[in-house]
Amino acid sequence: MSSPIRVTVWNEYRHEKRSPAIAAIYPEGIHGTLAAALSKHPDMAVRTATLDEPEHGLTDEVLAATDVMLWWGHCAHGEVSDAVVAKVRRRVLEGMGLVVLHSGHYSKIFKALMGTTCSLCWREVGEQEVLWVADPSHPIAEGIGTCIILPNTEMYGEPFGIPVPEEQVFISSFAGGEVFRSGNVWRRGAGRIFYFRPGHESYPIFHNEQVLRVITNAVRYCRPTAAPVADKAPNVPMGWFRKG
Ligand code: ZN
């Protein structure tokens, strides 16, 4: 078997510490729930990192040893160090995969990579969401079938302030009538980025088997396909690539 995909699950990890109701849903934190689910797969080697660790748990050593990073944040985007964001962005350009979840749409790293507002409209009344598979042939939708139905979610609606997705995997509809581009792929440099909408902290979304299947598929899809691509512009002599 080829070497396992080295996954780092990053979580802001604040709601779970402050709210007993949210801690009851995610006793080990959202990162702990996601890491436990991914660790069931023998092709993945999973670690976690959180905001309040030194360097947010994202040291140079951790970044160098990460093939795919998951990112969940919500109430403390502004506390994420710009220096760490710059390092994560550089790793994406080199080829690291990035899976941005739910309220991560407003994270510094996602906005830096998209270059747009990443804004959206929202409502929290616990309504039903249907995540429609827009591209059944896409590897991230493998095993999902027609749709995922989440009985109680926060609504995110268009317009979503993102660049036009390069690959559109899911589109959501909500009980209130809104729609949303909820599973989107972009390339930035050599790295693949997947944004996946579900995952509000006060609902057990990350215990849903289909949601976890999508995230697992996305980790495999976003893994680097080559050695890290360096950012350099060498001055080279004529004919340097010819032999002899
Ligand atoms: Zn939310």
Side-chain angles (χ1 to χ4, degrees), residues 7-17 26-39 46-53 70-73 101 206 212:
V7 183
T8 299
V9 181
W10 191 89
N11 179 19
E12 173 184 282
Y13 195 30
R14 290 283 176 82
H15 291 290
E16 302 95 318
K17 289 193 266 193
Y26 297 110
E28 311 299 323
I30 285 172
H31 56 298
T33 297
L34 291 171
L38 293 173
S39 295
V46 185
R47 71 168 91 208
T48 65
T50 56
L51 179 64
D52 292 328
E53 295 171 46
L70 274 63
W71 194 279
W72 195 98
L101 299 167
F206 293 129
L212 293 172

Side-chain angles (χ1 to χ4, degrees), residues 74 102-103 154 156 199-201:
H74 179 226
H102 187 62
S103 41
E154 178 187 27
Y156 278 5
H200 189 62
E201 66 277 359

Side-chain angles (χ1 to χ4, degrees), residues 201-220:
E201 66 277 359
S202 61
Y203 301 109
I205 305 284
F206 293 129
H207 295 289
N208 179 290
E209 286 300 326
Q210 284 181 298
V211 167
L212 293 172
R213 176 77 180 253
V214 170
I215 293 170
T216 303
N217 290 345
V219 166
R220 293 185 179 127

Side-chain angles (χ1 to χ4, degrees), residues 99-171:
V99 177
V100 177
L101 299 167
H102 187 62
S103 41
H105 74 92
Y106 259 163
S107 63
K108 287 184 179 179
I109 183 61
F110 188 61
K111 290 199 289 185
L113 288 162
M114 294 296 107
T116 54
T117 65
C118 301
S119 65
L120 46 81
C121 69
W122 60 278
R123 170 175 64 238
E124 190 179 349
V125 298
E127 69 202 89
Q128 178 179 278
E129 172 181 13
V130 183
L131 284 124
W132 296 97
V133 174
D135 182 356
S137 71
H138 199 287
I140 293 179
E142 197 261 316
I144 298 303
T146 306
C147 63
I148 301 171
I149 299 175
L150 299 175
N152 300 109
T153 63
E154 178 187 27
M155 186 280 293
Y156 278 5
E158 298 282 346
F160 188 13
I162 48 172
V164 174
E166 293 163 28
E167 298 160 30
Q168 188 69 65
V169 189
F170 294 96
I171 297 172

